[in-house]
Amino acid sequence: MLFRSGAKTKLCVNQFMGNVMTSLSESITLAEKCGGSSFSSNDLVEVLLNGALSSPIVKAKGPNMIKNNFEPNFPLEHQAKDLKLAVELGNEHGLKNLAVTEKSLEIFKKVEGQQESQIDMCGVVKAYREKNE
């Protein structure tokens, strides 16, 4: 695969973003499962937004995940494609163990395979919710 430096940069950024989405999905699902009157997924997102992990992606996607708002901004299928390309690019450069990215790709592909490819990438949370219902 021939990528120019700008494309490689974009791919690395999207790789990170996909990994953040799977991690955030896991944390929100855990908060939903163990939450109650004293703790909720909304509380989790608020803590994330007011601490060291605050980021525009958490601000934009966290509340949408909680509300099941998967109106596409960045389609899940595009995120899955970029994760796949990142793994391939890593392999081309001798990185044989991109375990986090490979697992994220597997999770994105699971949701995509359920004819959910056009939903927003934050819809990856569905993989966690469905697995744990």
Side-chain angles (χ1 to χ4, degrees), residues 29-121:
T29 303
L30 178 60
E32 290 170 349
K33 290 293 184 183
C34 70
S37 60
S38 63
F39 178 70
S40 71
S41 53
N42 286 315
D43 295 327
L44 171 66
V45 170
E46 185 176 329
V47 167
L48 291 173
L49 291 175
N50 289 296
L53 298 174
S54 180
S55 67
I57 195 77
V58 172
K59 184 178 182 180
K61 302 300 183 183
N64 287 345
M65 291 169 142
I66 293 167
K67 296 175 192 168
N68 293 312
N69 177 4
F70 307 128
E71 186 67 33
N73 183 293
F74 189 76
L76 188 135
E77 69 181 337
H78 295 176
Q79 183 59 69
K81 173 191 58 90
D82 285 350
L83 289 169
K84 179 179 179 285
L85 291 173
V87 169
E88 291 172 0
L89 183 63
N91 288 337
E92 287 178 18
H93 290 276
L95 294 172
K96 301 298 182 196
N97 184 12
L98 292 175
V100 174
T101 303
E102 290 169 4
K103 186 63 176 178
S104 290
L105 174 58
E106 177 185 318
I107 294 164
F108 270 86
K109 286 297 210 181
K110 177 184 177 199
V111 178
E112 184 181 34
Q114 298 167 340
Q115 287 73 43
E116 299 280 0
S117 62
Q118 294 300 312
I119 64 173
D120 190 78
M121 68 174 171

Coordinates of all heavy atoms in Angstrom, one line a residue, residues 29-121:
T29 N -20.7 0.9 29.0 CA -21.4 -0.3 29.3 C -21.2 -0.8 30.7 O -22.2 -1.2 31.4 CB -21.1 -1.4 28.3 OG1 -21.3 -0.9 27.0 CG2 -21.9 -2.7 28.5
L30 N -20.0 -0.7 31.2 CA -19.7 -1.1 32.6 C -20.5 -0.2 33.6 O -21.1 -0.7 34.5 CB -18.2 -1.1 32.9 CG -17.8 -1.4 34.3 CD1 -18.3 -2.8 34.7 CD2 -16.3 -1.3 34.5
A31 N -20.5 1.1 33.3 CA -21.2 2.1 34.1 C -22.7 1.8 34.1 O -23.3 1.9 35.1 CB -20.9 3.5 33.7
E32 N -23.2 1.4 32.9 CA -24.6 1.1 32.8 C -25.0 -0.1 33.7 O -26.0 -0.2 34.3 CB -25.0 0.9 31.4 CG -25.0 2.2 30.6 CD -25.2 2.0 29.1 OE1 -25.1 0.8 28.6 OE2 -25.4 3.0 28.4
K33 N -24.1 -1.1 33.6 CA -24.4 -2.4 34.3 C -24.2 -2.3 35.8 O -25.0 -2.9 36.6 CB -23.5 -3.5 33.8 CG -23.8 -3.9 32.4 CD -25.1 -4.6 32.3 CE -25.4 -5.1 31.0 NZ -26.7 -5.7 30.9
C34 N -23.3 -1.5 36.3 CA -23.0 -1.4 37.7 C -23.6 -0.2 38.4 O -23.6 0.0 39.6 CB -21.6 -1.5 38.1 SG -20.6 -0.1 37.6
G35 N -24.2 0.7 37.5 CA -24.7 1.9 38.0 C -26.0 1.7 38.8 O -26.5 0.7 38.9
G36 N -26.4 2.8 39.4 CA -27.6 2.8 40.2 C -27.9 4.2 40.5 O -27.6 5.1 39.8
S37 N -28.5 4.4 41.7 CA -28.9 5.7 42.1 C -27.7 6.6 42.4 O -27.7 7.8 42.4 CB -29.8 5.7 43.3 OG -29.2 5.0 44.4
S38 N -26.5 5.9 42.7 CA -25.3 6.7 43.1 C -24.3 6.8 42.0 O -23.4 7.6 42.1 CB -24.7 6.0 44.3 OG -24.2 4.7 43.9
F39 N -24.5 6.2 40.9 CA -23.6 6.2 39.8 C -24.3 5.8 38.5 O -25.0 4.9 38.4 CB -22.4 5.3 40.1 CG -21.4 5.2 39.0 CD1 -20.5 6.3 38.7 CD2 -21.2 4.1 38.2 CE1 -19.6 6.3 37.7 CE2 -20.3 4.1 37.2 CZ -19.4 5.2 36.9
S40 N -24.0 6.6 37.4 CA -24.6 6.3 36.1 C -23.6 6.5 35.0 O -22.5 7.1 35.2 CB -25.8 7.2 35.9 OG -25.4 8.5 35.7
S41 N -23.9 6.1 33.8 CA -23.1 6.4 32.7 C -23.0 7.9 32.4 O -21.9 8.4 32.0 CB -23.6 5.6 31.4 OG -24.9 5.9 31.2
N42 N -24.0 8.6 32.7 CA -23.9 10.1 32.6 C -22.9 10.6 33.6 O -22.1 11.6 33.2 CB -25.3 10.8 32.9 CG -26.3 10.6 31.8 OD1 -25.9 10.8 30.6 ND2 -27.5 10.2 32.1
D43 N -22.8 10.1 34.8 CA -21.8 10.5 35.7 C -20.4 10.2 35.2 O -19.5 11.0 35.3 CB -22.0 9.8 37.1 CG -23.3 10.2 37.8 OD1 -23.7 11.3 37.6 OD2 -23.8 9.3 38.5
L44 N -20.3 9.0 34.6 CA -19.0 8.7 34.0 C -18.5 9.7 33.0 O -17.4 10.1 33.0 CB -19.0 7.3 33.4 CG -17.8 6.9 32.6 CD1 -16.6 6.7 33.5 CD2 -18.0 5.6 31.8
V45 N -19.4 10.0 32.1 CA -19.0 10.9 31.0 C -18.7 12.3 31.6 O -17.7 12.9 31.2 CB -20.1 11.0 29.9 CG1 -19.9 12.1 28.9 CG2 -20.2 9.7 29.2
E46 N -19.4 12.7 32.6 CA -19.2 14.0 33.2 C -17.8 14.0 33.9 O -17.0 14.9 33.7 CB -20.2 14.3 34.3 CG -20.0 15.7 34.9 CD -21.2 16.0 35.9 OE1 -22.3 15.6 35.7 OE2 -20.9 16.8 36.8
V47 N -17.4 12.9 34.5 CA -16.1 12.8 35.2 C -15.0 12.8 34.1 O -14.0 13.5 34.2 CB -16.0 11.5 36.0 CG1 -14.6 11.2 36.4 CG2 -16.9 11.6 37.3
L48 N -15.2 12.1 33.0 CA -14.3 12.1 31.9 C -14.1 13.5 31.3 O -12.9 13.9 31.0 CB -14.7 11.1 30.8 CG -14.6 9.6 31.2 CD1 -15.2 8.8 30.0 CD2 -13.2 9.2 31.5
L49 N -15.2 14.2 31.2 CA -15.1 15.5 30.6 C -14.5 16.6 31.5 O -14.0 17.6 31.1 CB -16.5 16.0 30.1 CG -17.0 15.2 29.0 CD1 -18.5 15.6 28.7 CD2 -16.2 15.4 27.7
N50 N -14.4 16.3 32.8 CA -13.9 17.2 33.7 C -12.5 16.8 34.3 O -12.1 17.4 35.3 CB -14.9 17.5 34.9 CG -16.0 18.3 34.3 OD1 -15.9 19.4 33.9 ND2 -17.2 17.7 34.3
G51 N -11.9 15.9 33.7 CA -10.6 15.4 34.2 C -9.6 15.3 33.1 O -9.7 15.9 32.0
A52 N -8.5 14.6 33.4 CA -7.4 14.5 32.5 C -7.7 13.9 31.2 O -7.0 14.1 30.2 CB -6.3 13.7 33.2
L53 N -8.8 13.1 31.1 CA -9.2 12.4 29.9 C -10.2 13.2 29.0 O -10.7 12.7 28.0 CB -9.8 11.0 30.2 CG -8.8 10.1 30.9 CD1 -9.4 8.8 31.3 CD2 -7.6 9.8 30.0
S54 N -10.4 14.4 29.4 CA -11.4 15.2 28.6 C -10.9 15.4 27.2 O -9.7 15.6 27.0 CB -11.5 16.6 29.3 OG -12.4 17.4 28.6
S55 N -11.8 15.3 26.3 CA -11.4 15.4 24.9 C -12.7 15.7 24.1 O -13.8 15.4 24.5 CB -10.7 14.2 24.3 OG -11.7 13.1 24.3
P56 N -12.5 16.3 22.9 CA -13.7 16.6 22.1 C -14.4 15.3 21.6 O -15.6 15.3 21.5 CB -13.0 17.3 20.8 CG -11.8 17.9 21.4 CD -11.3 17.0 22.4
I57 N -13.7 14.2 21.5 CA -14.3 13.0 21.1 C -15.2 12.4 22.2 O -16.4 12.0 21.9 CB -13.3 11.9 20.6 CG1 -14.0 10.8 19.8 CG2 -12.5 11.3 21.7 CD1 -14.4 11.2 18.4
V58 N -14.8 12.5 23.4 CA -15.7 12.1 24.5 C -16.9 13.0 24.6 O -18.0 12.6 24.8 CB -14.9 12.0 25.8 CG1 -15.8 11.8 27.0 CG2 -13.8 11.0 25.8
K59 N -16.6 14.3 24.5 CA -17.7 15.3 24.6 C -18.8 15.0 23.5 O -20.0 15.1 23.7 CB -17.2 16.7 24.5 CG -18.2 17.8 24.6 CD -17.6 19.2 24.6 CE -18.6 20.2 24.8 NZ -18.0 21.6 24.7
A60 N -18.3 14.7 22.3 CA -19.2 14.6 21.1 C -19.9 13.2 21.2 O -21.1 13.1 20.8 CB -18.4 14.7 19.8
K61 N -19.2 12.2 21.5 CA -19.7 10.8 21.3 C -20.3 10.2 22.6 O -21.2 9.4 22.5 CB -18.6 9.9 20.8 CG -18.1 10.3 19.4 CD -19.1 10.5 18.4 CE -18.6 10.9 17.0 NZ -19.6 11.0 16.0
G62 N -19.7 10.5 23.8 CA -20.2 9.9 25.0 C -21.7 10.1 25.2 O -22.4 9.1 25.4
P63 N -22.2 11.3 25.2 CA -23.7 11.5 25.4 C -24.5 10.8 24.3 O -25.6 10.3 24.6 CB -23.8 13.0 25.3 CG -22.5 13.6 25.7 CD -21.5 12.6 25.2
N64 N -24.0 10.8 23.1 CA -24.7 10.1 22.0 C -24.8 8.6 22.3 O -25.8 7.9 22.0 CB -24.1 10.3 20.6 CG -24.4 11.7 20.1 OD1 -25.2 12.4 20.7 ND2 -23.6 12.2 19.2
M65 N -23.7 8.0 22.8 CA -23.7 6.6 23.1 C -24.8 6.3 24.2 O -25.6 5.3 24.1 CB -22.4 6.1 23.6 CG -21.3 6.1 22.6 SD -19.7 5.9 23.4 CE -18.9 4.8 22.2
I66 N -24.8 7.1 25.2 CA -25.8 6.9 26.3 C -27.2 7.0 25.8 O -28.1 6.3 26.2 CB -25.5 8.0 27.4 CG1 -24.2 7.7 28.1 CG2 -26.7 8.0 28.4 CD1 -23.7 8.8 29.0
K67 N -27.5 8.0 24.9 CA -28.8 8.2 24.3 C -29.2 7.3 23.1 O -30.3 7.4 22.6 CB -29.0 9.7 23.9 CG -28.9 10.7 25.0 CD -28.9 12.1 24.4 CE -28.5 13.1 25.4 NZ -28.2 14.4 24.8
N68 N -28.3 6.4 22.8 CA -28.5 5.6 21.6 C -28.7 6.4 20.3 O -29.5 6.1 19.5 CB -29.6 4.6 21.8 CG -29.3 3.6 22.8 OD1 -28.2 3.0 22.8 ND2 -30.2 3.4 23.7
N69 N -28.0 7.5 20.2 CA -28.1 8.4 19.1 C -26.9 8.1 18.1 O -25.8 8.5 18.4 CB -28.1 9.9 19.5 CG -28.1 10.8 18.3 OD1 -28.2 10.4 17.1 ND2 -27.9 12.1 18.5
F70 N -27.2 7.3 17.1 CA -26.2 6.8 16.2 C -26.3 7.4 14.8 O -25.9 6.9 13.8 CB -26.2 5.3 16.2 CG -26.1 4.6 17.5 CD1 -27.0 3.7 17.9 CD2 -25.1 5.0 18.4 CE1 -26.9 3.1 19.1 CE2 -25.0 4.4 19.7 CZ -25.9 3.5 20.0
E71 N -26.9 8.6 14.8 CA -27.0 9.4 13.5 C -25.6 9.6 13.0 O -24.8 10.1 13.7 CB -27.7 10.7 13.8 CG -28.0 11.5 12.6 CD -29.1 10.9 11.7 OE1 -30.0 10.2 12.2 OE2 -29.0 11.1 10.5
P72 N -25.4 9.2 11.8 CA -24.0 9.1 11.3 C -23.4 10.5 11.1 O -23.9 11.4 10.5 CB -24.1 8.4 9.9 CG -25.5 8.5 9.5 CD -26.3 8.6 10.8
N73 N -22.2 10.7 11.7 CA -21.3 11.8 11.5 C -20.1 11.2 10.8 O -19.6 11.8 9.9 CB -21.0 12.5 12.8 CG -20.1 13.7 12.7 OD1 -19.0 13.5 12.3 ND2 -20.7 14.8 13.0
F74 N -19.5 10.2 11.4 CA -18.4 9.4 10.8 C -18.9 8.0 10.8 O -18.9 7.3 11.9 CB -17.2 9.6 11.6 CG -15.9 9.0 11.0 CD1 -15.3 9.7 9.9 CD2 -15.4 7.8 11.4 CE1 -14.2 9.1 9.3 CE2 -14.2 7.3 10.8 CZ -13.7 7.9 9.7
P75 N -19.4 7.4 9.7 CA -20.0 6.1 9.6 C -19.1 5.0 10.2 O -17.8 5.0 10.0 CB -20.3 5.9 8.2 CG -20.4 7.3 7.6 CD -19.4 8.1 8.4
L76 N -19.7 4.1 10.9 CA -19.0 3.0 11.5 C -18.2 2.2 10.4 O -17.0 1.8 10.7 CB -20.0 2.0 12.1 CG -19.5 0.9 13.0 CD1 -20.2 0.8 14.3 CD2 -19.6 -0.4 12.2
E77 N -18.7 2.0 9.2 CA -18.0 1.3 8.2 C -16.7 2.0 7.8 O -15.7 1.3 7.5 CB -18.9 1.0 7.0 CG -19.2 2.3 6.2 CD -20.1 2.0 5.0 OE1 -20.1 0.9 4.5 OE2 -20.8 3.0 4.5
H78 N -16.7 3.3 7.8 CA -15.4 4.0 7.5 C -14.4 3.8 8.6 O -13.2 3.7 8.3 CB -15.7 5.5 7.3 CG -16.6 5.8 6.1 ND1 -17.0 7.0 5.8 CD2 -17.1 5.0 5.2 CE1 -17.7 7.0 4.7 NE2 -17.8 5.7 4.3
Q79 N -14.9 3.8 9.9 CA -13.9 3.6 11.0 C -13.4 2.2 10.9 O -12.2 2.0 11.1 CB -14.6 3.8 12.3 CG -13.7 3.7 13.5 CD -12.6 4.6 13.5 OE1 -12.7 5.8 13.6 NE2 -11.4 4.1 13.3
A80 N -14.2 1.2 10.6 CA -13.7 -0.2 10.5 C -12.7 -0.3 9.4 O -11.7 -0.9 9.5 CB -14.9 -1.1 10.2
K81 N -12.9 0.4 8.3 CA -12.0 0.4 7.1 C -10.7 0.9 7.6 O -9.6 0.4 7.3 CB -12.6 1.2 6.0 CG -11.6 1.3 4.8 CD -12.1 2.3 3.8 CE -12.3 3.7 4.3 NZ -11.3 4.7 4.3
D82 N -10.7 2.1 8.3 CA -9.4 2.7 8.7 C -8.7 1.8 9.7 O -7.4 1.8 9.7 CB -9.7 4.1 9.3 CG -10.0 5.1 8.2 OD1 -9.8 4.8 7.0 OD2 -10.4 6.2 8.5
L83 N -9.4 1.1 10.6 CA -8.7 0.2 11.5 C -8.0 -0.9 10.8 O -6.9 -1.3 11.1 CB -9.7 -0.3 12.5 CG -10.2 0.7 13.6 CD1 -11.4 0.1 14.4 CD2 -9.1 1.1 14.5
K84 N -8.7 -1.4 9.8 CA -8.2 -2.5 8.9 C -6.9 -2.0 8.2 O -5.9 -2.7 8.2 CB -9.2 -3.0 7.9 CG -8.7 -4.1 7.0 CD -9.8 -4.5 6.0 CE -9.4 -5.5 5.1 NZ -8.5 -5.0 4.0
L85 N -7.0 -0.8 7.6 CA -5.8 -0.2 6.9 C -4.7 0.0 7.9 O -3.5 -0.1 7.5 CB -6.2 1.1 6.2 CG -7.2 0.9 5.0 CD1 -7.6 2.2 4.5 CD2 -6.5 0.1 3.9
A86 N -5.0 0.4 9.1 CA -3.9 0.7 10.1 C -3.2 -0.6 10.4 O -2.0 -0.6 10.5 CB -4.5 1.3 11.4
V87 N -3.9 -1.7 10.6 CA -3.3 -3.0 10.9 C -2.4 -3.4 9.7 O -1.3 -3.8 9.9 CB -4.4 -4.1 11.2 CG1 -3.8 -5.5 11.2 CG2 -5.1 -3.8 12.5
E88 N -2.9 -3.2 8.5 CA -2.2 -3.5 7.3 C -0.9 -2.7 7.2 O 0.2 -3.2 6.8 CB -3.0 -3.4 6.0 CG -4.1 -4.4 5.9 CD -5.1 -4.2 4.8 OE1 -4.9 -3.2 4.0 OE2 -6.0 -5.0 4.6
L89 N -1.0 -1.4 7.4 CA 0.1 -0.5 7.4 C 1.2 -0.9 8.4 O 2.4 -0.9 8.1 CB -0.3 0.9 7.6 CG 0.8 2.0 7.5 CD1 1.4 2.1 6.1 CD2 0.2 3.4 7.9
G90 N 0.7 -1.2 9.6 CA 1.6 -1.7 10.6 C 2.4 -3.0 10.2 O 3.6 -3.1 10.4
N91 N 1.6 -3.9 9.6 CA 2.3 -5.1 9.1 C 3.3 -4.8 8.1 O 4.4 -5.4 8.1 CB 1.2 -6.1 8.5 CG 0.4 -6.7 9.6 OD1 0.7 -6.8 10.8 ND2 -0.8 -7.2 9.2
E92 N 3.0 -3.9 7.2 CA 4.0 -3.5 6.2 C 5.3 -2.9 6.8 O 6.3 -3.0 6.1 CB 3.4 -2.5 5.2 CG 2.4 -3.1 4.3 CD 1.7 -2.0 3.4 OE1 2.3 -0.9 3.2 OE2 0.7 -2.3 2.8
H93 N 5.2 -2.3 7.9 CA 6.3 -1.7 8.6 C 6.9 -2.6 9.7 O 7.6 -2.1 10.6 CB 5.9 -0.3 9.1 CG 5.7 0.6 8.0 ND1 6.8 1.3 7.3 CD2 4.6 1.0 7.3 CE1 6.3 2.1 6.4 NE2 5.0 1.9 6.3
G94 N 6.5 -3.9 9.7 CA 7.1 -4.8 10.7 C 6.4 -4.8 12.0 O 6.9 -5.5 13.0
L95 N 5.3 -4.1 12.2 CA 4.5 -4.2 13.5 C 3.5 -5.3 13.4 O 2.5 -5.2 12.8 CB 3.8 -2.8 13.7 CG 4.7 -1.6 13.9 CD1 3.9 -0.4 14.0 CD2 5.5 -1.8 15.2
K96 N 3.9 -6.4 14.0 CA 3.1 -7.6 13.9 C 2.1 -7.7 15.0 O 1.3 -8.6 15.1 CB 3.9 -8.9 13.8 CG 4.9 -8.9 12.7 CD 4.2 -8.9 11.3 CE 5.1 -8.9 10.2 NZ 4.6 -8.6 8.9
N97 N 2.2 -6.8 16.0 CA 1.3 -6.9 17.1 C 0.6 -5.6 17.4 O 1.1 -4.8 18.3 CB 2.0 -7.4 18.4 CG 1.1 -7.6 19.5 OD1 -0.1 -7.6 19.4 ND2 1.7 -7.9 20.7
L98 N -0.4 -5.3 16.7 CA -1.2 -4.1 17.0 C -2.5 -4.6 17.7 O -3.6 -4.5 17.2 CB -1.5 -3.3 15.8 CG -0.4 -2.6 15.1 CD1 -0.8 -1.9 13.8 CD2 0.2 -1.5 16.1
A99 N -2.3 -5.3 18.9 CA -3.4 -6.0 19.5 C -4.6 -5.2 19.8 O -5.8 -5.6 19.6 CB -2.9 -6.7 20.8
V100 N -4.5 -4.0 20.3 CA -5.6 -3.1 20.6 C -6.4 -2.8 19.4 O -7.6 -2.9 19.3 CB -5.1 -1.8 21.4 CG1 -6.3 -0.9 21.6 CG2 -4.5 -2.2 22.7
T101 N -5.7 -2.4 18.3 CA -6.3 -2.1 17.1 C -7.0 -3.3 16.4 O -8.1 -3.2 15.9 CB -5.3 -1.4 16.1 OG1 -4.7 -0.3 16.7 CG2 -6.0 -1.0 14.8
E102 N -6.3 -4.4 16.5 CA -6.9 -5.6 15.9 C -8.2 -6.0 16.7 O -9.2 -6.4 16.1 CB -5.9 -6.8 16.0 CG -4.8 -6.6 15.0 CD -3.6 -7.6 15.2 OE1 -3.7 -8.5 16.1 OE2 -2.6 -7.4 14.5
K103 N -8.2 -5.9 18.0 CA -9.4 -6.2 18.8 C -10.5 -5.1 18.5 O -11.7 -5.5 18.3 CB -9.1 -6.2 20.3 CG -10.3 -6.7 21.1 CD -10.7 -8.1 20.8 CE -11.8 -8.6 21.7 NZ -12.2 -9.9 21.3
S104 N -10.1 -3.9 18.4 CA -11.1 -2.8 18.0 C -11.7 -3.2 16.6 O -13.0 -3.1 16.5 CB -10.5 -1.5 18.0 OG -10.1 -1.0 19.3
L105 N -10.9 -3.5 15.7 CA -11.4 -3.9 14.4 C -12.4 -5.1 14.4 O -13.5 -5.0 13.8 CB -10.2 -4.3 13.4 CG -10.6 -4.8 12.0 CD1 -11.5 -3.8 11.3 CD2 -9.3 -5.1 11.3
E106 N -12.1 -6.1 15.2 CA -13.0 -7.2 15.4 C -14.3 -6.8 15.9 O -15.4 -7.2 15.4 CB -12.3 -8.2 16.4 CG -13.1 -9.4 16.7 CD -12.5 -10.2 17.8 OE1 -11.2 -10.4 17.7 OE2 -13.2 -10.7 18.7
I107 N -14.3 -5.9 16.9 CA -15.6 -5.4 17.5 C -16.4 -4.5 16.5 O -17.6 -4.7 16.4 CB -15.3 -4.6 18.8 CG1 -14.7 -5.6 19.8 CG2 -16.5 -3.9 19.3 CD1 -14.0 -5.0 21.0
F108 N -15.7 -3.6 15.8 CA -16.4 -2.8 14.8 C -17.0 -3.7 13.7 O -18.1 -3.5 13.2 CB -15.4 -1.8 14.1 CG -15.3 -0.5 14.9 CD1 -14.5 -0.3 15.9 CD2 -16.2 0.6 14.4 CE1 -14.5 0.9 16.6 CE2 -16.1 1.8 15.1 CZ -15.3 2.0 16.2
K109 N -16.2 -4.7 13.3 CA -16.7 -5.6 12.2 C -17.9 -6.4 12.7 O -18.8 -6.7 11.9 CB -15.6 -6.6 11.8 CG -14.5 -6.0 11.0 CD -15.1 -5.5 9.7 CE -14.2 -5.5 8.5 NZ -14.8 -5.0 7.3
K110 N -18.0 -6.7 14.0 CA -19.2 -7.4 14.5 C -20.4 -6.6 14.3 O -21.5 -7.0 13.8 CB -19.0 -7.8 16.0 CG -20.2 -8.4 16.6 CD -20.0 -8.7 18.0 CE -21.3 -9.3 18.6 NZ -21.5 -9.2 20.0
V111 N -20.4 -5.3 14.7 CA -21.5 -4.4 14.5 C -21.8 -4.2 13.1 O -22.9 -4.2 12.6 CB -21.3 -3.1 15.3 CG1 -22.5 -2.1 15.1 CG2 -21.1 -3.3 16.8
E112 N -20.8 -3.9 12.3 CA -20.9 -3.7 10.8 C -21.6 -4.9 10.2 O -22.4 -4.7 9.3 CB -19.6 -3.4 10.2 CG -19.6 -3.1 8.7 CD -18.3 -2.9 8.1 OE1 -17.3 -3.6 8.5 OE2 -18.2 -2.0 7.2
G113 N -21.3 -6.1 10.6 CA -21.8 -7.3 10.1 C -23.3 -7.5 10.4 O -24.0 -8.3 9.8
Q114 N -23.8 -6.7 11.3 CA -25.2 -6.8 11.6 C -26.0 -5.8 10.9 O -27.0 -5.2 11.3 CB -25.4 -6.6 13.2 CG -24.7 -7.6 14.0 CD -24.7 -7.3 15.5 OE1 -24.8 -6.1 15.8 NE2 -24.5 -8.3 16.3
Q115 N -25.5 -5.4 9.7 CA -26.1 -4.4 8.8 C -26.3 -3.1 9.5 O -27.2 -2.4 9.3 CB -27.5 -4.9 8.3 CG -27.4 -6.0 7.2 CD -27.0 -7.3 7.8 OE1 -27.5 -7.8 8.8 NE2 -26.2 -8.1 7.1
E116 N -25.3 -2.8 10.3 CA -25.2 -1.5 11.0 C -24.1 -0.6 10.5 O -23.7 0.3 11.2 CB -25.0 -1.7 12.5 CG -26.1 -2.6 13.1 CD -27.4 -1.8 13.5 OE1 -27.4 -0.6 13.2 OE2 -28.3 -2.4 14.0
S117 N -23.7 -0.8 9.3 CA -22.5 -0.1 8.8 C -22.7 1.4 8.6 O -21.7 2.2 8.6 CB -22.0 -0.7 7.5 OG -23.0 -0.6 6.5
Q118 N -23.9 1.8 8.4 CA -24.2 3.3 8.1 C -24.4 4.1 9.4 O -24.5 5.3 9.3 CB -25.4 3.4 7.2 CG -25.1 2.9 5.8 CD -24.0 3.5 5.1 OE1 -23.9 4.7 5.1 NE2 -23.0 2.7 4.6
I119 N -24.5 3.4 10.6 CA -24.6 4.2 11.8 C -23.3 4.9 12.2 O -22.3 4.6 11.6 CB -25.1 3.3 13.0 CG1 -24.1 2.3 13.4 CG2 -26.5 2.7 12.7 CD1 -24.4 1.5 14.6
D120 N -23.4 5.8 13.1 CA -22.2 6.5 13.5 C -21.2 5.5 14.2 O -21.6 4.5 14.8 CB -22.5 7.6 14.5 CG -21.3 8.5 14.8 OD1 -21.0 9.4 13.9 OD2 -20.7 8.3 15.8
M121 N -19.9 5.8 14.1 CA -18.9 5.0 14.7 C -19.2 4.7 16.2 O -18.8 3.7 16.8 CB -17.5 5.5 14.5 CG -17.3 6.8 15.3 SD -15.6 7.3 15.1 CE -15.6 8.9 15.8

